[in-house]
Structure formats: structure tokens, C-alpha cells
Amino acid sequence: MSEGSMTQKVSTEGADMLTLAGVNDGNLVELSRLCGVKVALRGDTMSITGPQELVERATEVGRRMVERARQRMELTPDDVLRLSEADGAGSNGDGSAGAEGRIALPGMRKLIQAKTSGQAEYLAKIAEHDIVVGIGPAGTGKTYLAVAAAVDALTRKKVRRIILARPAVEAGESLGFLPGDMQAKVDPYLRPLYDALDEMMPAERIQKALETRVIEIAPLAFMRGRTLGDAFVILDEAQNATAMQMKMFLTRLGVNSQIVITGDKTQVDLPKREESGLMQVERILLGIEGIAFHYFSDADVVRHRLVRDIIKAYAADGD
């Protein structure tokens, strides 16, 4: 052992070792890279070697990793990065969000887990408010967690149906010029909602729910003239809803219904003369009881780590 270095041992008893180490020991390599220490896994012990200050930090992250592996929660190098950045705010000390940040869906082995304190706070607001507006960059889980909360509410019979909506206004395309019938025209815009749903429910349940209209996925324009009662309603990509569409959507709220609106203010595809409905509600609905706004930051990005760096680069270029 070199002068000035020390070794700290962390018990890994009860942890799933494959989960802890990761593919090709990727999680251990990431811990070593982030903290500037040597990490070894032998038997029921993780050994961390290096300068005392670095070892102390790495040991704390290592304990959080072990706790996740004990709970059989997903653990990837990107998760290790988030655990190393966790400051304990809104967390139970292992980098997870605590019981309030978890959703267990029947028929699915996967536990939906808030991976950042920001995500846990978002889920808490959804549980406590009739209308929640989630604003933030791509990859922060805005839509994914909202769909999970909707499926959970449906499963617990808190609502009788789920309605997922999106504005069909993107990249300057006109639906009239796209091939196929109306469903074929709008399906590409709605595909991300189908993708999120695919991870929440078995395929046969989704198909049956769609056929019986227990789950409805439709363009925002199709909401006009309806009252959405006893439903969990999600409006995705809300930055592309016009001010008039947003007012129409919000006034559809019926008895025993809940609305979650998600959007990214940096990705508005509306013509420049049109005001984004998302920007308008942020301006005029703040402070109304029963409506909560939640702002995600790049620290909440849970896609590939490069997504976070890309978001930061674009933000810096815009300054």
C-alpha cells in the first residue's frame, strides 16, 4: 500500500453480486473512475483503496450501491454516477427515493423507481394534486413516471380509464399530406406514449384496454367537446399545444379526474406567431391551489449520460 493511502471494506452480504458489479464489472469501474480509487470485490466484501478523503466518498457511494443490489433494484454505471451526486435531499441515503418514489405494477417484474430526488418529488406531487405540470429537458422521466402513476391509479381502481394525449404538431409537418387514414397519420406522433405503456403492462392487457377504451391514446385535437371524468389524463409534449388548445384541454377536467401535463420549453415546434400553451399556463396558473408545477433539471436526466452533457452544451450555446 502506497504512503498516504488506506483501504476501507464494505460488507456486501445479501447483495446480488451480478447487479452490484454490473456488466463486465462496469459499476465497479465507474465507482473507481468517479472517485479516483481502486475497487475490488471478493467474497462478501467490497474493498476500496486510495487517499483517505477519496476513500471516504467512495465508501458512501459503495454502500448505496450495495443497498440497491440487496433490494434487487436496477444498477448501471449511470446509476452509480447519480448515486455519487446524491446529497441525501429527498433520498433515504442509498440514492433511492424511498417508498413514496416507487411504483410496483402487477404483472410486471419491474419496479418503477424514482432515480433522483427530483423524480421522487414529481411523483409525490402527482399523488397530492389534481393537476401537475412537469417541465424539463428530455430524458428526465416526465412522461414515463406520469404513465406509471396513471397505470397504478387504474390498477388500484382510483380511476376507470387512462387518456394519453399529444399535440400532432411537430417538425412543420401537415397531417393532410401524410399517407393513410387518420389513425395512420397520427400514430407516429403518439408512438412514444405506446412505448411508455409497453413497459408498464403486459401486451395482452394493453390490447384489451385499448379495445375497450379503458386506455385511450389520441391527438390533443380529439379532446374538444368532451368531459373527461373518472380518468387519469396525461398531455405529453405540451410545449406544442397552442394557448387555445391548452385552455380547451384544462377545461375538460371532470369529477374524480387527474391531469398531468409534461413538456420541454426548449423544444417548441409551433409557428413563431403562436404562443405555447405550456408557457402560458406557467405564467397564469402559478399559485392556484390544487395545481402543482415541477421543474426538472439536467441532474434528473436518466437516459445515457451523454444526454445530460448534450443538454448542458445546448443550454450554454443559448446563453
Side-chain angles (χ1 to χ4, degrees):
M1 189 182 300
S2 62
E3 189 177 344
S5 72
M6 62 173 288
T7 296
Q8 181 76 44
K9 296 184 183 297
V10 177
S11 172
T12 61
E13 190 174 356
D16 181 81
M17 302 307 272
L18 288 175
T19 299
L20 181 60
V23 179
N24 295 326
D25 289 344
N27 295 339
L28 305 182
V29 171
E30 181 68 358
L31 177 60
S32 176
R33 184 189 74 81
L34 289 169
C35 299
V37 295
K38 290 182 180 178
V39 183
L41 205 55
R42 288 189 179 84
D44 284 340
T45 303
M46 177 192 288
S47 298
I48 301 171
T49 304
Q52 181 176 349
E53 187 177 333
L54 300 181
V55 167
E56 286 175 357
R57 177 178 176 236
T59 299
E60 180 59 35
V61 179
R63 288 190 177 120
R64 294 173 181 173
M65 292 168 62
V66 169
E67 188 57 37
R68 287 180 73 95
R70 282 180 177 140
Q71 296 179 41
R72 304 299 192 269
M73 291 163 59
E74 183 182 29
L75 187 62
T76 67
D78 283 344
D79 292 321
V80 175
L81 173 62
R82 279 186 290 277
L83 292 177
S84 74
E85 295 174 341
D87 58 5
S91 154
N92 62 11
D94 65 354
S96 67
E100 71 281 1
R102 297 179 190 177
I103 298 175
L105 299 175
M108 305 298 285
R109 293 181 182 177
K110 192 174 181 183
L111 183 74
I112 308 299
Q113 171 74 43
K115 292 189 172 185
T116 68
S117 57
Q119 288 191 342
E121 188 182 335
Y122 178 57
L123 284 175
K125 286 178 179 176
I126 290 175
E128 294 165 6
H129 297 81
D130 290 334
I131 298 177
V132 174
V133 183
I135 299 173
T140 50
K142 302 184 299 291
T143 305
Y144 184 83
L145 292 173
V147 172
V151 173
D152 186 49
L154 182 68
T155 302
R156 296 173 185 272
K157 295 184 167 48
K158 291 181 178 178
V159 295
R160 287 193 298 108
R161 55 185 174 150
I162 295 173
I163 299 171
L164 309 174
R166 254 189 164 208
V169 180
E170 293 178 28
E173 291 179 346
S174 169
L175 290 178
F177 290 98
L178 295 174
D181 60 16
M182 181 52 73
Q183 195 61 42
K185 290 175 191 286
V186 300
D187 264 0
Y189 295 98
L190 305 176
R191 177 48 50 192
L193 294 172
Y194 285 104
D195 290 344
L197 208 52
D198 282 343
E199 292 199 36
M200 310 293 175
M201 297 172 69
E204 61 276 9
R205 273 191 66 205
I206 295 175
Q207 191 57 42
K208 184 179 179 184
L210 289 170
E211 288 171 359
T212 57
R213 300 182 75 79
V214 169
I215 296 178
E216 186 179 343
I217 303 177
L220 175 58
F222 288 17
M223 298 295 109
R224 188 174 297 279
R226 302 177 59 185
T227 299
L228 307 175
D230 210 12
F232 196 117
V233 191
I234 298 171
L235 174 59
D236 190 34
E237 297 290 338
Q239 74 276 3
N240 289 325
T242 66
M244 189 178 295
Q245 286 176 327
M246 182 63 80
K247 180 182 178 183
M248 175 274 291
F249 175 76
L250 286 169
T251 53
R252 300 306 94 198
L253 185 66
V255 177
N256 191 42
S257 286
Q258 185 170 4
I259 286 177
V260 176
I261 297 168
T262 69
D264 179 353
K265 294 191 291 184
T266 68
Q267 297 194 33
V268 178
D269 294 316
L270 290 169
K272 284 190 166 49
R273 67 180 181 276
E274 286 274 15
E275 182 184 15
S276 165
L278 182 63
M279 313 287 201
Q280 186 188 52
V281 296
E282 185 185 21
R283 192 177 71 246
I284 68 176
L285 298 186
L286 274 172
I288 294 180
E289 190 175 349
I291 301 178
F293 284 79
H294 183 78
Y295 293 89
F296 292 92
S297 71
D298 54 66
D300 294 307
V301 173
V302 293
R303 289 184 189 164
H304 195 287
R305 74 187 64 196
L306 284 176
V307 174
R308 186 190 306 193
D309 294 338
I310 289 166
I311 290 166
K312 285 181 178 177
Y314 271 96
D317 188 60
D319 290 342

